[in-house]
Amino acid sequence: MDHPVPRRPVPMTTRPRRATACEPGFDTLPADQLTAAALHRASRLGARYADVRLRRVRTLRERVRDARPEGSQVGVESGAGVRVLVNGTWGFAAGPDLSVGGLAELAARACELARMLRPLRRDPVRLAPEPVGAPATWESPCEVDPFEVPAGDRVALLAGWCEALRAGGLDLAEAYLQVFRESTVYRDSAGRSVRQRRTWLHPMAVGFRIDSAGGGFDSMRTLGPPIARGWEYLRGTGWDWAAELARMPRDLAAKRAAPPVEPGVYDLVIDPTNLWLTIHETVGHATELDRMLGREAAFAGRSFVTPEDVGTLRYGSPAMTVIADRTTPYGLATVGYDDEGVAARSWPLIAEGVLVGVQHDRQTAGVAGLDRSTGCAYAESYRHLPVQRMPNVSLCAVPGGPDTAELIGRVRDGLYVVGDNSFSVDMERVNFQFTAQRFYRIRDGRLDGQVRDAAYTGATLEFWRSLEAVGGPQTWLLSGASQCGKAQPLQLAAAGHGCPAALFRQVRVTSTRMEVTR
Amino acid sequence: METALSASRSDACAVIVEHGAERHLRWADSELIGTGDVDTFQVSVVSVVGDRVGAVTVSGRADRAEIVAVVRAAEAAARQAPPAEDARPLPAPGAESPHWDAALPAPSSAVLAGLVDQLTEGFARARRNGQALYGYAEHRRRTTFLGTSTGVRLRHDDRAGYLELTAGDRDGTPAWTNAVTTEFDDVSVRELQDELDRRLRWGRRSIELPPGRYECLLPPSAVADLMNYAYTTAGARAAAQGRSVYSRPGGRTRVGEVLSDVPLTLRSDPAADRLRCSPFLVTSSSTGTRSVFDNGLPLGPTSWWERGRLRSLVHTRASAEELGAPLTPMVDNLVLDGPPGGGDTAELIARTRRGLLLTSLWYIREVDLATMALTGLTRDGVFLVEEGEVVGAVHNFRFNDSPLAMVGRVVEVGRTLPTRARDWGDAVGPTAMPMLRVRDVRLTAVTHAR
């Protein structure tokens, strides 16, 4: 019988720390002068409200195939975005010129744009009220700065991962690393002032088994999630990479030899390495207020949830409690403040199966007439207008709850689903289809080898109402999406999702191979 | 550019400077919800030390000292890096860009101003008709300069405009359309709304259909989404390694294989009318299909499929040498052509005995790399066509199918038109696609999402 990699539960509270790392060339900017120049110019030109973001995004990408580097790039993107409200109409201008003159010019252009667009505005923009606090700083935890690790060491580590997979008998191995650091100075015309920095990284290794004689191949990748930590994560803090790499060749060989799944209806025990993505798509996005209001109708889509559903909609079974949280330790969406200067907080979305909350920013909360934003504004870079983005959205474990083996033990005829893979959901977040890295057959409460080419599919409410049990804290894992797309122009954002293992009854499973013929 | 190149102490160096400007508008429920007036400036330095390479990209105002610092950072990264497998001497200079010193173009506010007038009228019309309009428009100009230590001096100016419009009413399924342009002088919001009104009328009658295999009319935008998968996964090295849908046993590839009995040609051409893209390769990082060592490589017309047969896969110089194949680098546009005389939408509808007319595809994801099996959804309009007439609107479906399997089931090809993939957006550059009639498209589940 296979067992998942042991995990330690993650504590559920954190306190912001003072920023300590230095971001040369950004931390030394005369931020007060720059932001004042923009706010002053905007005010002079008739803006009732204005905010300014100075932002630097540092990225690092490494790609190694077998032992050879295939691509490496360091990127630094710095600039400013100025958002104004003139006559109740938005204007936004952004550029890379971080000078006093440059910021004032951006403010002027934003005001000019707002005036030009006034005919397209029906109702004046109303921002939900937000108290003004003292100037604040915040930084995400990062013990070893990944940007300070020599390139040779980075590549050597990834090459070592590839070698571990090749040594296990795989025909080809690739490893990737993406590191992201975002530094922000935020000021607005109401007096809010924030300086913050966050770092996350996403390592991954992929192994291939190739049938060179008969044709065809299979692949499998590591399950270690992207996380808001430093280089220590790649050395084993928070995830046992060595153990996972050691078992992957065996798992992939078993997958390659596995029989195809028989389509039908199965009970599923879903590992948190897979379930996080289902939460992201069917709960996280579905509880975004901007979707409910139709603001994403032309692109990312709407939601089947309506504002009127709050307090009454039976979203799932009583075993389902979901928390939205911008303070989860190491969460990809964990910040001190959002991009409207709203302090991070935690709030319930679903309590014992009933929808009790939604996500919003000052703008969408204002449209809905709500008292205060939940702090979900985010802009991908200086070039982007802040839009409503997902916080960390997590399914709660049950204290004293079962472990994964106990959940499997409750299933007579089912599948154990491990690792995320392909994902697709409709425009209202109802019909979904998910595949996995591995599907294990469950017979009479025990794992009985892998099956291949499976996908589980269904409808959101039906699925979550079929949730019979969630695991205990020992099964809870924080994962997440490092690149979630939304809005136009497209913006990427990262969101964390924690969840325990969970048991769902009678879920439809299809064969991906049987539905596609060459 | 010259500051960076003259500061270089490495064996070879490539410098990419990109200057861009963009204006965009976004609206929902017939009201503005977002806008932007955005400038970008970016410098990428690729330094080569022996067969090692380092690349650093910075954006923002850069004086001489800062540029030199970027060059030094790239050199340091190169010295720390292990040897690169694709290392080759940088290409020698060919023809220089004649407009190297020309002034940088900037987006004109007049472009948006004209669109604001059109949208104001459009919003009013929608309200009169009990509709709501949703959509997005962008206008972008970008200039890319490439200089290398081998003497390459190349420049490409890119202009692109795009508008998409969705209309919804209380009676039925939403309708969607889009327009690809350069300066918006050829875009009529009124005409786009006429098309949307027609589709909303089609949607007045709702029809339920079960999942199954249907003949489908796939419009250009949907075809673009599918062809983008076929193109971006066409790396020759991956195919030769046996880990791609283009692989054959024994380390061979499917080049030469017939993909479709219909004479479909999938091609790229930097000089294609209304689809111009960079005529030289420019990249600040290597991938499976591009190499930083190929910066400055001239790009020309390339056939990926020729009359239904797979002719070429995407090569870097390294993979072409390694595999003994002709050099066919990736080009940033894509065109699918059928036989001459392809019909328009109305003609293909008129020739349909029973089938589904789709509007667009959405949330497409790879399910199985070995077969290029994809899943995704239809969006904003599935219409039942019977005996040459649209008879009503059907709910949306989930599909599970493979683009390469689908081209084998193409039975008719329409007229090729510039379009933009709805799900991919502009990720692979300008595209021109025809409507395709495909039999037995696998629609595996029903969704009533709108």
Side-chain angles (χ1 to χ4, degrees), chain A residues 38-55:
Chain A
L39 295 173
H40 180 66
R41 176 67 68 89
S43 174
R44 275 185 46 208
L45 293 174
R48 183 178 59 83
Y49 168 86
D51 57 35
V52 189
R53 276 174 303 107
L54 313 181
R55 176 160 289 168

Side-chain angles (χ1 to χ4, degrees), chain A residues 123 151 212 281 299 426 513, chain B residues 31 80 250 363 368 379 447:
Chain A
D123 300 319
S212 53
E281 300 290 9
F299 185 66
D426 74 25
R513 281 278 170 122
Chain B
E31 180 168 42
Q80 290 181 12
Y363 220 117
D368 182 358
R379 185 169 184 182
T447 173

Side-chain angles (χ1 to χ4, degrees), chain A residues 517, chain B residues 212-219 222-223 226-227 260 262 264 336 348 352 354-358 361 401-414 434-443:
Chain A
T517 58
Chain B
R213 298 184 180 190
Y214 290 90
E215 178 179 286
C216 290
L217 296 176
L218 293 166
V223 175
L226 298 173
M227 291 305 105
S260 174
V262 175
L264 288 168
L336 182 67
L348 268 75
T352 302
R354 188 171 194 271
L356 297 177
L357 169 67
L358 309 187
L361 301 178
D401 215 324
S402 161
L404 289 197
M406 289 166 89
V407 297
R409 289 183 260 117
V410 169
V411 290
E412 187 177 359
V413 185
M435 176 171 274
L436 295 179
R437 183 192 306 280
V438 184
R439 61 177 167 80
D440 293 335
V441 175
R442 285 135 175 86
L443 304 178

Side-chain angles (χ1 to χ4, degrees), chain A residues 315-508:
Chain A
Y315 210 107
S317 75
M320 182 188 193
T321 292
V322 177
I323 301 296
D325 186 7
R326 302 216 71 165
T327 69
T328 307
Y330 316 118
L332 291 175
T334 296
V335 291
Y337 298 83
D338 78 347
D339 278 344
E340 290 178 330
V342 178
R345 52 184 279 208
S346 170
W347 68 102
L349 293 175
I350 295 165
E352 296 180 343
V354 177
L355 180 75
V356 294
V358 296
Q359 314 154 39
H360 38 76
D361 58 10
R362 290 189 68 196
Q363 189 176 184
T364 49
V367 171
L370 300 171
D371 292 340
R372 195 173 176 189
S373 160
T374 54
C376 292
Y378 177 70
E380 179 192 336
S381 76
Y382 80 85
R383 294 176 285 111
H384 293 89
L385 185 73
V387 293
Q388 188 195 306
R389 297 312 307 260
M390 200 186 299
N392 304 301
V393 173
S394 299
L395 178 68
C396 294
V398 172
D403 63 15
T404 305
E406 289 177 74
L407 292 172
I408 291 169
R410 297 187 193 181
V411 175
R412 191 181 64 79
D413 181 22
L415 296 168
Y416 173 43
V417 186
V418 179
D420 66 274
N421 196 2
S422 159
F423 54 100
S424 178
V425 64
D426 74 25
M427 297 71 69
E428 291 183 356
R429 304 279 142 181
V430 177
N431 176 278
F432 60 77
Q433 177 177 300
F434 295 100
T435 62
Q437 293 299 310
R438 301 191 288 276
F439 281 88
Y440 294 89
R441 196 75 172 81
I442 305 173
R443 297 185 205 272
D444 297 325
R446 301 175 66 86
L447 296 185
D448 186 23
Q450 291 186 52
V451 291
R452 51 178 303 126
D453 309 330
Y456 67 93
T457 183
T460 295
L461 294 183
E462 183 181 90
F463 175 77
W464 285 106
R465 289 170 183 174
S466 78
L467 172 67
E468 181 176 289
V470 296
Q474 71 276 29
T475 73
W476 197 88
L477 173 73
L478 179 65
S479 300
S482 60
Q483 295 191 325
C484 170
K486 190 178 173 184
Q488 289 174 294
L490 182 70
Q491 296 195 41
L492 299 178
H497 303 284
C499 57
L503 168 59
F504 296 82
R505 296 292 187 186
Q506 299 296 285
V507 180
R508 183 167 167 249

Side-chain angles (χ1 to χ4, degrees), chain B residues 362-438:
Chain B
W362 186 249
Y363 220 117
I364 308 166
R365 293 294 183 273
E366 292 169 320
V367 173
D368 182 358
L369 297 174
T371 59
M372 205 195 291
L374 306 176
T375 191
L377 296 128
T378 64
R379 185 169 184 182
D380 289 336
V382 178
F383 304 101
L384 179 62
V385 182
E386 291 180 329
E387 306 303 341
E389 297 281 344
V390 175
V391 297
V394 186
H395 41 72
N396 282 303
F397 289 95
R398 171 170 298 286
F399 72 89
N400 276 272
D401 215 324
S402 161
L404 289 197
M406 289 166 89
V407 297
R409 289 183 260 117
V410 169
V411 290
E412 187 177 359
V413 185
R415 184 180 308 151
T416 295
L417 300 168
T419 188
R420 182 152 140 176
R422 189 172 188 186
D423 198 38
W424 272 79
D426 62 350
V428 297
T431 57
M433 298 284 150
M435 176 171 274
L436 295 179
R437 183 192 306 280
V438 184

Side-chain angles (χ1 to χ4, degrees), chain B residues 97 114 117 125 135 139 160 194 234 303 309 326 338 366 385 414 416 425 434:
Chain B
S97 300
D117 292 342
R125 169 179 163 176
H139 184 241
D194 291 344
S303 289
R309 189 182 297 272
E366 292 169 320
V385 182
T416 295

